[in-house]
Short mmCIF file of all heavy atoms in Angstrom, two decimals:
data_model
loop_
_atom_site.label_atom_id
_atom_site.label_comp_id
_atom_site.label_asym_id
_atom_site.label_seq_id
_atom_site.Cartn_x
_atom_site.Cartn_y
_atom_site.Cartn_z
N MET A 1 0.85 -1.26 0.00
CA MET A 1 0.01 -0.02 0.01
C MET A 1 0.89 1.33 -0.01
O MET A 1 1.90 1.31 0.69
CB MET A 1 -0.93 0.06 1.22
CG MET A 1 -1.77 -1.21 1.48
SD MET A 1 -3.31 -1.28 0.60
CE MET A 1 -4.04 0.24 0.68
N PRO A 2 0.50 2.32 -0.82
CA PRO A 2 1.32 3.46 -0.89
C PRO A 2 1.49 4.08 0.56
O PRO A 2 2.46 4.70 0.82
CB PRO A 2 0.53 4.33 -1.86
CG PRO A 2 -0.17 3.42 -2.71
CD PRO A 2 -0.52 2.19 -1.81
N GLU A 3 0.45 4.05 1.36
CA GLU A 3 0.55 4.53 2.64
C GLU A 3 1.65 4.10 3.57
O GLU A 3 2.20 4.75 4.38
CB GLU A 3 -0.80 4.44 3.37
CG GLU A 3 -1.98 5.17 2.75
CD GLU A 3 -2.57 4.44 1.58
OE1 GLU A 3 -2.14 3.32 1.35
OE2 GLU A 3 -3.54 5.01 0.95
N GLU A 4 1.88 2.84 3.30
CA GLU A 4 2.93 2.16 4.06
C GLU A 4 4.32 2.67 3.68
O GLU A 4 5.29 2.56 4.50
CB GLU A 4 2.92 0.60 3.87
CG GLU A 4 1.69 -0.04 4.42
CD GLU A 4 1.57 -1.65 4.14
OE1 GLU A 4 2.54 -2.08 3.66
OE2 GLU A 4 0.41 -2.05 4.25
N ILE A 5 4.63 3.18 2.47
CA ILE A 5 5.70 3.69 2.09
C ILE A 5 6.12 4.88 2.93
O ILE A 5 7.33 5.10 3.27
CB ILE A 5 5.79 4.17 0.60
CG1 ILE A 5 5.65 2.91 -0.23
CG2 ILE A 5 6.96 4.93 0.17
CD1 ILE A 5 5.36 3.18 -1.69
N LEU A 6 5.18 5.65 3.42
CA LEU A 6 5.44 6.80 4.24
C LEU A 6 5.95 6.42 5.62
O LEU A 6 6.66 7.14 6.16
CB LEU A 6 4.11 7.52 4.55
CG LEU A 6 3.46 8.16 3.28
CD1 LEU A 6 2.06 8.88 3.53
CD2 LEU A 6 4.45 9.12 2.58
N ASN A 7 5.76 5.18 6.04
CA ASN A 7 6.46 4.71 7.31
C ASN A 7 7.95 4.58 7.17
O ASN A 7 8.61 4.85 8.13
CB ASN A 7 5.84 3.31 7.65
CG ASN A 7 4.50 3.33 8.03
OD1 ASN A 7 3.90 4.34 8.56
ND2 ASN A 7 3.71 2.22 7.79
N HIS A 8 8.40 4.35 5.92
CA HIS A 8 9.85 4.27 5.64
C HIS A 8 10.48 5.58 5.15
O HIS A 8 11.66 5.77 5.28
CB HIS A 8 10.18 3.07 4.68
CG HIS A 8 9.57 1.82 5.20
ND1 HIS A 8 10.25 1.06 6.07
CD2 HIS A 8 8.52 1.20 4.84
CE1 HIS A 8 9.62 -0.13 6.32
NE2 HIS A 8 8.46 -0.06 5.56
N LEU A 9 9.66 6.45 4.47
CA LEU A 9 10.07 7.63 3.95
C LEU A 9 9.22 8.77 4.42
O LEU A 9 8.43 9.42 3.64
CB LEU A 9 10.12 7.56 2.44
CG LEU A 9 11.03 6.41 1.84
CD1 LEU A 9 10.69 6.19 0.36
CD2 LEU A 9 12.38 6.73 2.10
N PRO A 10 9.25 9.14 5.73
CA PRO A 10 8.32 10.13 6.32
C PRO A 10 8.52 11.56 5.75
O PRO A 10 7.59 12.48 5.93
CB PRO A 10 8.55 10.11 7.86
CG PRO A 10 10.09 9.59 7.91
CD PRO A 10 10.11 8.61 6.78
N HIS A 11 9.67 11.86 4.97
CA HIS A 11 9.79 13.13 4.39
C HIS A 11 8.88 13.37 3.18
O HIS A 11 8.81 14.44 2.72
CB HIS A 11 11.33 13.41 4.21
CG HIS A 11 11.81 12.45 3.24
ND1 HIS A 11 12.26 11.10 3.63
CD2 HIS A 11 12.13 12.52 1.88
CE1 HIS A 11 12.71 10.46 2.50
NE2 HIS A 11 12.72 11.40 1.44
N LEU A 12 8.37 12.30 2.63
CA LEU A 12 7.54 12.36 1.42
C LEU A 12 6.13 12.56 1.87
O LEU A 12 5.71 12.16 2.95
CB LEU A 12 7.67 11.14 0.63
CG LEU A 12 9.08 10.79 -0.04
CD1 LEU A 12 8.91 9.55 -0.77
CD2 LEU A 12 9.49 11.97 -0.93
N THR A 13 5.34 13.21 1.00
CA THR A 13 3.84 13.31 1.18
C THR A 13 3.29 12.10 0.37
O THR A 13 3.85 11.45 -0.50
CB THR A 13 3.34 14.64 0.62
OG1 THR A 13 3.54 14.63 -0.85
CG2 THR A 13 4.01 15.76 1.19
N LEU A 14 1.95 11.91 0.71
CA LEU A 14 1.37 10.78 0.05
C LEU A 14 1.05 11.20 -1.45
O LEU A 14 1.28 10.27 -2.30
CB LEU A 14 -0.11 10.56 0.66
CG LEU A 14 -0.80 9.42 0.17
CD1 LEU A 14 -0.11 8.09 0.34
CD2 LEU A 14 -2.16 9.22 0.98
N ALA A 15 1.02 12.37 -1.79
CA ALA A 15 0.82 12.76 -3.15
C ALA A 15 2.15 12.50 -3.89
O ALA A 15 2.02 11.97 -5.05
CB ALA A 15 0.59 14.32 -3.26
N GLN A 16 3.30 12.72 -3.26
CA GLN A 16 4.60 12.42 -3.97
C GLN A 16 4.78 10.94 -4.17
O GLN A 16 5.25 10.53 -5.19
CB GLN A 16 5.72 12.94 -3.05
CG GLN A 16 5.91 14.48 -3.03
CD GLN A 16 6.89 14.95 -2.00
OE1 GLN A 16 6.85 14.46 -0.86
NE2 GLN A 16 7.64 15.90 -2.43
N VAL A 17 4.31 10.20 -3.24
CA VAL A 17 4.41 8.70 -3.46
C VAL A 17 3.50 8.22 -4.59
O VAL A 17 3.97 7.52 -5.42
CB VAL A 17 3.96 7.95 -2.13
CG1 VAL A 17 3.85 6.39 -2.37
CG2 VAL A 17 4.85 8.22 -1.04
N PHE A 18 2.34 8.80 -4.67
CA PHE A 18 1.43 8.42 -5.80
C PHE A 18 2.02 8.97 -7.13
O PHE A 18 1.96 8.29 -8.15
CB PHE A 18 0.06 8.94 -5.55
CG PHE A 18 -0.77 8.02 -4.73
CD1 PHE A 18 -1.11 8.34 -3.41
CD2 PHE A 18 -1.42 6.84 -5.22
CE1 PHE A 18 -1.86 7.45 -2.63
CE2 PHE A 18 -1.97 6.02 -4.59
CZ PHE A 18 -2.47 6.40 -3.19
N ASP A 19 2.52 10.11 -7.12
CA ASP A 19 3.27 10.66 -8.28
C ASP A 19 4.36 9.74 -8.82
O ASP A 19 4.46 9.40 -9.94
CB ASP A 19 3.86 11.97 -8.08
CG ASP A 19 2.74 13.10 -7.99
OD1 ASP A 19 1.67 12.87 -8.49
OD2 ASP A 19 3.09 14.20 -7.47
N ALA A 20 5.30 9.25 -7.87
CA ALA A 20 6.23 8.40 -8.15
C ALA A 20 5.77 7.05 -8.83
O ALA A 20 6.32 6.52 -9.80
CB ALA A 20 7.24 8.13 -6.96
N LEU A 21 4.84 6.55 -7.99
CA LEU A 21 4.20 5.29 -8.58
C LEU A 21 3.57 5.54 -9.90
O LEU A 21 3.72 4.51 -10.89
CB LEU A 21 3.14 4.70 -7.64
CG LEU A 21 3.73 4.24 -6.28
CD1 LEU A 21 2.52 4.02 -5.35
CD2 LEU A 21 4.61 3.04 -6.41
N SER A 22 2.95 6.50 -10.19
CA SER A 22 2.35 6.76 -11.49
C SER A 22 3.40 6.93 -12.60
O SER A 22 3.26 6.36 -13.63
CB SER A 22 1.54 8.04 -11.47
OG SER A 22 0.95 8.35 -12.64
N PHE A 23 4.44 7.63 -12.19
CA PHE A 23 5.54 7.92 -13.22
C PHE A 23 6.17 6.49 -13.52
O PHE A 23 6.40 6.18 -14.74
CB PHE A 23 6.60 8.79 -12.59
CG PHE A 23 7.73 9.02 -13.60
CD1 PHE A 23 7.62 9.99 -14.53
CD2 PHE A 23 8.88 8.27 -13.57
CE1 PHE A 23 8.65 10.23 -15.33
CE2 PHE A 23 10.04 8.45 -14.43
CZ PHE A 23 9.87 9.52 -15.35
N TYR A 24 6.39 5.70 -12.51
CA TYR A 24 6.91 4.27 -12.75
C TYR A 24 6.09 3.37 -13.61
O TYR A 24 6.52 2.79 -14.59
CB TYR A 24 7.24 3.59 -11.49
CG TYR A 24 7.55 2.12 -11.69
CD1 TYR A 24 8.91 1.82 -12.11
CD2 TYR A 24 6.74 1.04 -11.45
CE1 TYR A 24 9.32 0.54 -12.36
CE2 TYR A 24 7.05 -0.27 -11.73
CZ TYR A 24 8.30 -0.54 -12.13
OH TYR A 24 8.73 -1.80 -12.43
N LEU A 25 4.75 3.58 -13.38
CA LEU A 25 3.88 2.73 -14.15
C LEU A 25 3.84 3.16 -15.67
O LEU A 25 3.68 2.40 -16.63
CB LEU A 25 2.50 2.77 -13.65
CG LEU A 25 2.39 1.96 -12.31
CD1 LEU A 25 0.91 2.10 -11.78
CD2 LEU A 25 2.64 0.49 -12.48
N ASP A 26 3.92 4.50 -15.85
CA ASP A 26 4.03 5.05 -17.23
C ASP A 26 5.33 4.81 -17.92
O ASP A 26 5.34 4.84 -19.32
CB ASP A 26 3.80 6.55 -17.14
CG ASP A 26 2.29 6.97 -16.87
OD1 ASP A 26 1.38 5.97 -16.98
OD2 ASP A 26 2.04 8.08 -16.54
N HIS A 27 6.41 4.46 -17.27
CA HIS A 27 7.66 4.30 -17.75
C HIS A 27 8.47 3.05 -17.33
O HIS A 27 9.70 2.96 -17.35
CB HIS A 27 8.58 5.60 -17.38
CG HIS A 27 8.00 6.89 -17.82
ND1 HIS A 27 7.18 7.68 -17.11
CD2 HIS A 27 8.20 7.48 -19.08
CE1 HIS A 27 6.87 8.75 -17.82
NE2 HIS A 27 7.43 8.72 -19.02
N GLN A 28 7.60 2.03 -17.06
CA GLN A 28 8.20 0.85 -16.46
C GLN A 28 9.32 0.26 -17.18
O GLN A 28 10.37 -0.26 -16.65
CB GLN A 28 6.94 -0.16 -16.11
CG GLN A 28 7.32 -1.22 -15.29
CD GLN A 28 6.07 -2.00 -14.91
OE1 GLN A 28 4.94 -1.68 -15.20
NE2 GLN A 28 6.16 -3.11 -14.13
N ALA A 29 9.12 0.00 -18.53
CA ALA A 29 10.20 -0.69 -19.32
C ALA A 29 11.43 0.19 -19.34
O ALA A 29 12.48 -0.36 -19.07
CB ALA A 29 9.69 -0.86 -20.76
N GLU A 30 11.28 1.39 -19.49
CA GLU A 30 12.60 2.20 -19.45
C GLU A 30 13.36 2.15 -18.14
O GLU A 30 14.47 2.13 -18.06
CB GLU A 30 12.16 3.71 -19.87
CG GLU A 30 13.38 4.66 -19.80
CD GLU A 30 12.82 6.12 -20.12
OE1 GLU A 30 11.66 6.29 -20.42
OE2 GLU A 30 13.62 6.97 -19.92
N ILE A 31 12.46 2.29 -17.03
CA ILE A 31 13.12 2.26 -15.74
C ILE A 31 13.70 1.01 -15.42
O ILE A 31 14.87 0.82 -14.88
CB ILE A 31 12.05 2.73 -14.60
CG1 ILE A 31 11.71 4.17 -14.86
CG2 ILE A 31 12.50 2.48 -13.18
CD1 ILE A 31 10.45 4.54 -14.08
N ASN A 32 13.10 -0.08 -15.77
CA ASN A 32 13.54 -1.55 -15.47
C ASN A 32 14.93 -1.73 -16.28
O ASN A 32 15.80 -2.26 -15.83
CB ASN A 32 12.57 -2.53 -15.76
CG ASN A 32 11.43 -2.57 -14.71
OD1 ASN A 32 11.61 -2.03 -13.61
ND2 ASN A 32 10.34 -3.14 -15.04
N GLU A 33 14.82 -1.20 -17.51
CA GLU A 33 16.07 -1.30 -18.33
C GLU A 33 17.26 -0.57 -17.66
O GLU A 33 18.30 -0.96 -17.68
CB GLU A 33 15.82 -0.80 -19.76
CG GLU A 33 16.96 -0.86 -20.65
CD GLU A 33 16.67 -0.16 -22.15
OE1 GLU A 33 15.60 -0.46 -22.57
OE2 GLU A 33 17.53 0.51 -22.48
N TYR A 34 16.98 0.65 -17.20
CA TYR A 34 18.09 1.44 -16.55
C TYR A 34 18.51 0.77 -15.29
O TYR A 34 19.74 0.61 -15.01
CB TYR A 34 17.39 2.84 -16.15
CG TYR A 34 18.35 3.72 -15.35
CD1 TYR A 34 19.23 4.56 -16.01
CD2 TYR A 34 18.40 3.66 -14.00
CE1 TYR A 34 20.19 5.33 -15.22
CE2 TYR A 34 19.25 4.44 -13.18
CZ TYR A 34 20.13 5.25 -13.88
OH TYR A 34 21.09 6.01 -13.09
N ILE A 35 17.66 0.16 -14.46
CA ILE A 35 18.01 -0.51 -13.39
C ILE A 35 18.91 -1.77 -13.68
O ILE A 35 19.97 -1.97 -13.01
CB ILE A 35 16.68 -0.97 -12.47
CG1 ILE A 35 16.18 0.19 -11.93
CG2 ILE A 35 17.10 -2.04 -11.48
CD1 ILE A 35 14.66 0.00 -11.25
N GLU A 36 18.53 -2.48 -14.69
CA GLU A 36 19.23 -3.79 -15.09
C GLU A 36 20.62 -3.33 -15.62
O GLU A 36 21.59 -3.94 -15.33
CB GLU A 36 18.48 -4.44 -16.09
CG GLU A 36 19.17 -5.87 -16.46
CD GLU A 36 19.48 -6.72 -15.22
OE1 GLU A 36 18.58 -6.65 -14.26
OE2 GLU A 36 20.37 -7.51 -15.26
N ARG A 37 20.71 -2.12 -16.40
CA ARG A 37 21.96 -1.81 -16.99
C ARG A 37 22.94 -1.27 -15.96
O ARG A 37 24.15 -1.28 -16.15
CB ARG A 37 21.63 -0.64 -17.97
CG ARG A 37 22.64 -0.27 -18.98
CD ARG A 37 22.28 0.83 -20.02
NE ARG A 37 21.70 1.99 -19.47
CZ ARG A 37 20.42 2.36 -19.75
NH1 ARG A 37 19.56 1.64 -20.37
NH2 ARG A 37 20.05 3.45 -19.12
N ASN A 38 22.50 -0.78 -14.81
CA ASN A 38 23.27 -0.31 -13.79
C ASN A 38 23.36 -1.19 -12.64
O ASN A 38 23.97 -0.70 -11.49
CB ASN A 38 22.69 1.10 -13.26
CG ASN A 38 22.96 2.10 -14.40
OD1 ASN A 38 23.97 2.62 -14.53
ND2 ASN A 38 21.84 2.42 -15.10
N ARG A 39 22.96 -2.49 -12.71
CA ARG A 39 22.92 -3.39 -11.57
C ARG A 39 24.43 -3.81 -11.40
O ARG A 39 25.20 -4.08 -12.30
CB ARG A 39 22.12 -4.60 -11.92
CG ARG A 39 22.03 -5.59 -10.81
CD ARG A 39 21.23 -6.81 -11.28
NE ARG A 39 21.94 -7.66 -12.25
CZ ARG A 39 22.98 -8.46 -11.94
NH1 ARG A 39 23.25 -8.76 -10.67
NH2 ARG A 39 23.52 -9.18 -12.77
N VAL A 40 24.81 -3.89 -10.19
CA VAL A 40 26.22 -4.33 -9.74
C VAL A 40 26.19 -5.83 -9.80
O VAL A 40 25.41 -6.44 -9.15
CB VAL A 40 26.69 -3.84 -8.44
CG1 VAL A 40 28.05 -4.37 -7.99
CG2 VAL A 40 26.61 -2.29 -8.37
N PRO A 41 27.18 -6.42 -10.54
CA PRO A 41 27.12 -7.89 -10.52
C PRO A 41 27.37 -8.59 -9.10
O PRO A 41 28.11 -7.93 -8.33
CB PRO A 41 28.43 -8.20 -11.52
CG PRO A 41 28.61 -6.95 -12.23
CD PRO A 41 28.15 -5.85 -11.31
N ASP A 42 26.78 -9.56 -8.86
CA ASP A 42 26.72 -10.21 -7.54
C ASP A 42 28.22 -10.44 -7.18
O ASP A 42 28.54 -10.32 -6.02
CB ASP A 42 25.98 -11.56 -7.65
CG ASP A 42 24.53 -11.34 -7.65
OD1 ASP A 42 24.07 -10.23 -7.30
OD2 ASP A 42 23.74 -12.37 -7.96
N GLU A 43 29.11 -10.84 -8.02
CA GLU A 43 30.36 -11.24 -7.68
C GLU A 43 31.28 -10.07 -7.30
O GLU A 43 32.30 -10.13 -6.67
CB GLU A 43 31.29 -11.95 -8.79
CG GLU A 43 31.37 -11.15 -10.06
CD GLU A 43 30.25 -11.38 -10.89
OE1 GLU A 43 29.18 -11.97 -10.69
OE2 GLU A 43 30.37 -10.86 -12.23
N LEU A 44 30.69 -8.84 -7.46
CA LEU A 44 31.38 -7.50 -7.01
C LEU A 44 30.86 -6.97 -5.76
O LEU A 44 31.32 -6.06 -5.13
CB LEU A 44 31.28 -6.45 -8.04
CG LEU A 44 31.98 -6.80 -9.48
CD1 LEU A 44 31.79 -5.61 -10.39
CD2 LEU A 44 33.49 -7.10 -9.24
N ILE A 45 29.80 -7.70 -5.11
CA ILE A 45 29.17 -7.25 -3.99
C ILE A 45 29.88 -8.06 -2.77
O ILE A 45 29.89 -9.26 -2.70
CB ILE A 45 27.68 -7.42 -3.95
CG1 ILE A 45 27.06 -6.60 -5.15
CG2 ILE A 45 27.10 -7.01 -2.59
CD1 ILE A 45 25.52 -6.95 -5.24
N HIS A 46 30.39 -7.29 -1.79
CA HIS A 46 30.98 -8.00 -0.69
C HIS A 46 29.93 -8.66 0.11
O HIS A 46 28.87 -8.23 0.23
CB HIS A 46 31.65 -6.93 0.19
CG HIS A 46 32.54 -7.46 1.25
ND1 HIS A 46 32.01 -8.00 2.45
CD2 HIS A 46 33.90 -7.70 1.27
CE1 HIS A 46 33.01 -8.43 3.15
NE2 HIS A 46 34.17 -8.40 2.50
N PRO A 47 30.28 -10.00 0.57
CA PRO A 47 29.32 -10.72 1.30
C PRO A 47 28.60 -10.13 2.51
O PRO A 47 27.52 -10.30 2.83
CB PRO A 47 30.01 -12.03 1.68
CG PRO A 47 31.22 -11.99 0.74
CD PRO A 47 31.50 -10.58 0.42
N SER A 48 29.30 -9.11 3.09
CA SER A 48 28.78 -8.44 4.32
C SER A 48 27.65 -7.49 3.97
O SER A 48 26.87 -7.08 4.90
CB SER A 48 29.91 -7.70 5.08
OG SER A 48 30.35 -6.64 4.34
N VAL A 49 27.55 -7.13 2.74
CA VAL A 49 26.36 -6.14 2.37
C VAL A 49 25.33 -6.82 1.47
O VAL A 49 24.41 -6.13 1.16
CB VAL A 49 26.99 -4.98 1.66
CG1 VAL A 49 27.98 -4.09 2.64
CG2 VAL A 49 27.73 -5.33 0.43
N LYS A 50 25.57 -8.10 1.15
CA LYS A 50 24.42 -8.70 0.42
C LYS A 50 23.17 -8.89 1.17
O LYS A 50 23.29 -9.18 2.41
CB LYS A 50 24.89 -10.15 0.02
CG LYS A 50 25.91 -10.09 -1.14
CD LYS A 50 26.17 -11.47 -1.77
CE LYS A 50 27.21 -11.32 -2.82
NZ LYS A 50 27.35 -12.68 -3.53
N ALA A 51 21.99 -8.86 0.52
CA ALA A 51 20.74 -9.01 1.24
C ALA A 51 20.63 -10.54 1.62
O ALA A 51 21.14 -11.33 0.91
CB ALA A 51 19.59 -8.57 0.35
N VAL A 52 20.11 -10.73 2.79
CA VAL A 52 20.00 -12.08 3.33
C VAL A 52 18.63 -12.69 2.76
O VAL A 52 17.71 -12.15 2.50
CB VAL A 52 19.81 -12.08 4.89
CG1 VAL A 52 19.81 -13.48 5.38
CG2 VAL A 52 21.08 -11.35 5.44
#
């Protein structure tokens, strides 16, 4: 739920959260491509910072 995002990012307004989600949905392919292109390969991530 968008409202739950505010628990983690209290400096944002609910309107800003909805704006960001709307932007993502309108540009999903482009954003996902950017994320994948800039992903750090697993072998370059130190084990102490890898997600469990």
Side-chain angles (χ1 to χ4, degrees):
M1 305 279 316
E3 295 83 2
E4 293 175 15
I5 294 172
L6 297 175
N7 294 332
H8 302 281
L9 302 168
H11 61 282
L12 297 178
T13 66
L14 187 56
Q16 289 172 315
V17 171
F18 276 105
D19 286 345
L21 292 171
S22 177
F23 183 86
Y24 173 72
L25 290 173
D26 287 345
H27 301 90
Q28 194 169 358
E30 178 184 352
I31 292 169
N32 288 343
E33 179 183 315
Y34 175 86
I35 291 169
E36 187 57 33
R37 195 172 55 242
N38 291 282
R39 189 181 69 78
V40 176
D42 287 342
E43 62 271 10
L44 297 179
I45 300 173
H46 192 277
S48 67
V49 296
K50 283 187 179 182
V52 182

